[in-house]
Amino acid sequence: MPALPPPAVTFSAADHPWVNVRTGPQYDQVGLRDLFLDAHTIDDLALPHPPAASALLRIAVAITARITGLDDPELTASQWNALRRACLDKGRFDPDAVHAYFDQHTWDVFDPVRPWLQEPALRTQCDHSSGINAFVPGRPAGNNLAWFSPHGHHTTEPVPTAEALEILLIHHYYGRSGQCTPRTVDGVTTRRQNSGPLRSSVSFHPLGRTLHETLLAGVPAFTGDEQPLGADACPWEGAAPGPQNPPTGVTWPGRLLTGLSQHAILLVPGSGGSTVTDAYLTWATKEPKELKQITTDPYLTYRFITERKNVARRRIKHSADASRAWWRELDTLVLAHDEHGTHLRPAIFDTLNDLPEDLRRNLRIRVHGFDQDGKVIDRQWYTAITPPLLNWTQEHDPAKAQRIAECCRGAEQTAQQLTALAKEAWNTATRSRTTQPPWSNKALTRYWPKAETAFWRLLAEPDADVPAAFAAAAAAALREVTEAARISHNSAARAVAHAIRDLYRRPPAPPKKTA
């Protein structure tokens, strides 16, 4: 069990450089304090790990609300919007407010009493550490085989502290569930943890022309559903977090954005604090999972499943899918929710219409996704940037929003039709009944890039035929993947010809309702 780190071992998340940023072609690293002092000169965050960037944006937005006064629940909607406009008009964050906030709290990553975003009690509550390999994603730990990494159980290379902080954020927001390092609290030992609040999700963040605009546009408004500000605190504010003093309820904006972690972590520093050599990684709270399910994250999209009996489980977040292009979610983003709808766009979109006109017209959306299963498997993370799309929303251009929804539906329906017809063609040509014939997946892989080209062309040509455009994309994809088979076998050529003919057939119209 390691002793307390010596006082000389320090690394300030506020003042040591660890956050990657971009200004034009120039890349740099800054601490959190300089991130806000220079936000008006920084174009964007440049963290290499999208889930860490999504987590850091939530932390930075919470700090933005604190230093600007946008965290005041007593403000009316008009007062809140006026204050945000005033902050935007200033063109930068107030340096005195930035210094006052960062001077008020402890930001030392290795502080023996209050390490940033960590629980020092793990030194005594865990009888052993988890190991640096278990902490770093992609490294094999324990008896796992080292398929894609030179690291092993006996090769525990330290991690630079700047990189370890990004990994720390990933665990807090996207961490796995299941077995973990045992932790004893009040005489009871437990080794099971819940998954992180953003696990397997895709986030949509407003992206301004500068980081200053990005953070102010990303502040969620008070809805009245959260507790008053007096009960709200980020993990580095107020009482130290821990199982003995769990926070009650989801408060705005601090706990909503920064305080829902299900993981307790403690980093062990190397010499001088420039590296992390070991880590404790275990459960943080035994709050019921339902709390996460009823919390509305302002950057996530949700869908409703009405047939579920448990009301708290009828609304679920959209899962990240690395194979799914961002434009396929456009209908969810541009359409305002109605009582009969099955999808709910990110709540942050409801605050963007009140931004100044020049900012709103240039505002893009940053997409951060982490394709994971619900428990332990991490597949792939991804990121994307949309063009300016707020002028396409239902509030500003209803016709455009409906056209987008029509095209998204058409693309998805044609994809389903292509999968079924490619399977049928394969089975007919080979006289078999394969459940997953190769033509289906290959054709679908070729279809989606062609469908995207068709999608943007359909938006530029409002009178163009939607089903015909996507049918042409699907037919081209099916011809490409079956070319060799069609040349070699007449049966394959006939089967594919029938499939392409059926692709152009319109699905039957739904029967008209009679009075």
Side-chain angles (χ1 to χ4, degrees):
M1 183 181 303
L4 293 176
V9 177
T10 61
F11 189 102
S12 171
D15 298 313
H16 282 76
W18 66 279
V19 180
N20 294 277
V21 297
R22 178 184 62 82
T23 302
Q26 181 70 34
Y27 289 82
D28 200 1
Q29 274 193 337
V30 298
L32 289 176
R33 189 191 302 264
D34 284 339
L35 187 75
F36 284 87
L37 292 173
D38 301 332
H40 58 293
T41 67
I42 295 172
D43 290 343
D44 194 10
L45 297 178
L47 275 67
H49 305 135
S54 183
L56 182 60
L57 276 172
R58 286 171 168 82
I59 291 172
V61 164
I63 297 174
T64 299
R66 295 286 196 250
I67 63 178
T68 58
L70 288 169
D71 61 349
D72 184 356
E74 300 300 325
L75 294 174
T76 65
S78 59
Q79 290 172 334
W80 190 87
N81 285 318
L83 176 58
R84 183 167 66 166
R85 280 176 172 263
C87 294
L88 286 166
D89 290 341
K90 290 180 181 178
R92 63 174 301 172
F93 292 116
D94 180 6
D96 291 337
V98 172
H99 287 302
Y101 182 80
F102 282 98
D103 291 344
Q104 184 181 359
H105 303 290
T106 300
W107 302 91
D108 191 348
V109 177
F110 303 123
D111 187 87
V113 178
R114 196 71 183 276
W116 190 62
L117 291 181
Q118 300 164 71
E119 294 193 29
L122 300 188
R123 294 188 187 94
T124 57
Q125 293 175 347
C126 298
D127 59 7
H128 62 83
S129 64
S130 305
I132 192 66
N133 289 349
F135 174 73
V136 180
R139 287 191 184 182
N143 294 323
N144 294 327
L145 297 177
W147 293 110
F148 305 109
S149 172
H151 302 280
H153 184 66
H154 300 293
T155 57
T156 53
E157 290 294 325
V159 180
T161 302
E163 180 182 345
L165 282 178
E166 292 189 32
I167 299 172
L168 179 79
L169 298 183
I170 295 174
H171 282 294
H172 276 311
Y173 285 85
Y174 297 86
R176 63 180 59 190
S177 63
Q179 297 292 319
C180 64
T181 299
R183 180 183 188 183
T184 303
V185 178
D186 295 332
V188 179
T189 301
T190 308
R191 58 178 304 161
R192 292 198 63 83
Q193 62 190 1
N194 296 328
S195 57
L198 299 183
R199 186 166 184 85
S200 72
S201 69
V202 54
S203 298
F204 300 89
H205 299 270
L207 179 62
R209 293 162 294 190
T210 66
L211 184 61
H212 176 254
E213 291 184 348
T214 295
L215 296 180
L216 284 170
V219 178
F222 182 59
T223 64
D225 297 330
E226 302 89 357
Q227 293 186 9
L229 178 63
D232 180 62
C234 297
W236 56 90
E237 302 169 343
Q244 294 93 340
N245 58 336
T248 57
V250 178
T251 55
W252 168 89
R255 193 175 183 225
L256 173 66
L257 298 177
T258 68
L260 296 179
S261 176
Q262 303 292 303
H263 294 69
I265 306 170
L266 181 64
L267 304 180
V268 179
S271 177
S274 62
T275 63
V276 172
T277 59
D278 200 354
Y280 295 82
L281 182 59
T282 185
W283 60 270
T285 177
K286 293 306 175 186
E287 285 181 324
K289 294 181 180 180
E290 284 73 15
L291 181 63
K292 291 191 299 177
Q293 294 164 351
I294 63 176
T295 301
T296 300
D297 185 287
Y299 313 106
L300 302 186
T301 58
Y302 295 87
R303 62 189 179 95
F304 298 92
I305 304 178
T306 56
E307 62 269 16
R308 289 189 175 181
K309 294 182 179 180
N310 188 333
V311 176
R313 295 176 180 269
R314 288 182 182 176
R315 190 193 69 173
I316 61 175
K317 64 178 182 289
H318 271 287
S319 296
D321 184 350
S323 66
R324 186 178 178 87
W326 70 267
W327 65 267
R328 295 169 63 184
E329 310 292 348
L330 256 179
D331 55 341
T332 301
L333 299 180
V334 300
L335 292 179
H337 178 67
D338 63 71
E339 60 182 4
H340 303 294
T342 59
H343 295 79
L344 182 66
R345 71 183 181 185
I348 195 65
F349 275 58
D350 298 334
T351 71
L352 301 181
N353 292 323
D354 297 306
L355 292 169
E357 179 70 12
D358 64 325
L359 172 56
R360 186 174 59 79
R361 287 188 173 277
N362 288 278
L363 200 67
R364 298 171 292 169
I365 302 298
R366 166 76 76 177
V367 183
H368 285 313
F370 197 176
D371 191 338
Q372 306 167 288
D373 75 349
K375 295 183 178 180
V376 300
I377 298 176
D378 298 339
R379 300 188 184 97
Q380 183 178 342
W381 51 52
Y382 58 94
T383 189
I385 299 178
T386 75
L389 54 78
L390 291 187
N391 290 329
W392 302 344
T393 58
Q394 191 170 358
E395 296 91 331
H396 294 279
D397 193 340
K400 188 80 165 184
Q402 291 300 326
R403 179 67 170 178
I404 289 172
E406 179 189 9
C407 292
C408 287
R409 286 194 299 268
E412 299 294 340
Q413 290 170 356
T414 301
Q416 295 176 2
Q417 191 180 15
L418 173 61
T419 301
L421 290 175
K423 177 181 179 180
E424 182 180 343
W426 169 270
N427 290 339
T428 300
T430 60
R431 298 179 181 179
S432 65
R433 284 291 176 262
T434 306
T435 56
Q436 293 184 334
W439 285 356
S440 293
N441 288 336
K442 290 180 178 179
L444 207 58
T445 300
R446 298 286 185 94
Y447 164 74
W448 281 117
K450 300 178 187 299
E452 181 173 3
T453 301
F455 175 83
W456 295 113
R457 186 175 69 251
L458 288 167
L459 292 190
E461 302 172 3
D463 297 328
D465 190 316
V466 173
F470 289 120
L478 186 56
R479 288 192 185 98
E480 288 178 7
V481 301
T482 61
E483 182 177 7
R486 289 187 290 110
I487 293 174
S488 303
H489 306 284
N490 288 334
S491 59
R494 286 194 298 270
V496 171
H498 290 155
I500 291 176
R501 178 199 62 194
D502 291 341
L503 278 171
Y504 284 96
R505 287 181 175 175
R506 304 297 174 87
K512 295 182 178 180
K513 294 183 179 180
T514 57

